Amino acid sequence: MEIDRFNIRAYGVLINDKQEVLLVHEKRGGIEFTKFPGGGLEFGEGIKDCLVREYKEETGIDVAVGKHIYTTDFFQQSAFKRTDQLISVYYAVSSHQTDTIPLGEQVIVNGGKTECLRFFWVKLSELHEDMLSFPVDKLVSKLVGMPGGLL
């Protein structure tokens, strides 16, 4: 199968005042996975705007986009659409509303597709790449979780 499209994704690493990082477990299209919160860039939208929108849609909170953490610098094929090449951009995000994030399972309809989401906090000191499903998230988990990490 030939790659014929770029799929640009924006993800935010949110750490609360307890030094916990927010992750999300999702069920979509018969696939379950765990990742950092975020999603796909829409036409006419900037990457930071995408990240703010995705956080608002999925968690209900407003975030401020901070320091750039990482942008994919290797070929990554999409797990969902095999003709897509992913470009993922990660930023640190912050919010004063972290206590209002819904932690139970929730169902949202996005573009006519149903998604099940479950947000949860992991102590930054316990964050490990095996907690995440996708190669780029695994790499970013090492960058932010290591002693003296990026954040």
Side-chain angles (χ1 to χ4, degrees), residues 51-111:
L51 189 50
V52 168
R53 176 186 51 77
E54 286 285 345
Y55 256 87
K56 188 68 169 181
E57 287 176 0
E58 295 182 357
T59 67
I61 69 169
D62 296 310
V63 294
V65 179
K67 177 180 168 183
H68 173 259
I69 297 172
Y70 181 77
T71 298
T72 309
D73 59 2
F74 57 91
F75 172 76
Q76 181 62 57
Q77 186 175 29
S78 172
F80 297 96
K81 189 170 181 189
R82 304 306 285 173
T83 57
D84 283 6
Q85 177 177 341
L86 296 181
I87 298 172
S88 300
V89 184
Y90 293 77
Y91 285 94
V93 296
S94 60
S95 178
H96 298 293
Q97 302 171 311
T98 57
D99 292 340
T100 66
I101 295 171
L103 299 180
E105 189 166 296
Q106 57 181 325
V107 177
I108 63 170
V109 178
N110 188 0

Side-chain angles (χ1 to χ4, degrees), residues 88-138:
S88 300
V89 184
Y90 293 77
Y91 285 94
V93 296
S94 60
S95 178
H96 298 293
Q97 302 171 311
T98 57
D99 292 340
T100 66
I101 295 171
L103 299 180
E105 189 166 296
Q106 57 181 325
V107 177
I108 63 170
V109 178
N110 188 0
K113 297 179 183 175
T114 302
E115 300 177 33
C116 296
L117 308 172
R118 182 178 52 83
F119 290 94
F120 62 100
W121 295 99
V122 172
K123 289 186 183 294
L124 193 55
S125 61
E126 297 174 7
L127 180 64
H128 191 273
E129 67 180 294
D130 291 339
M131 296 175 174
L132 296 140
S133 302
F134 301 124
V136 186
D137 289 295
K138 290 176 181 288

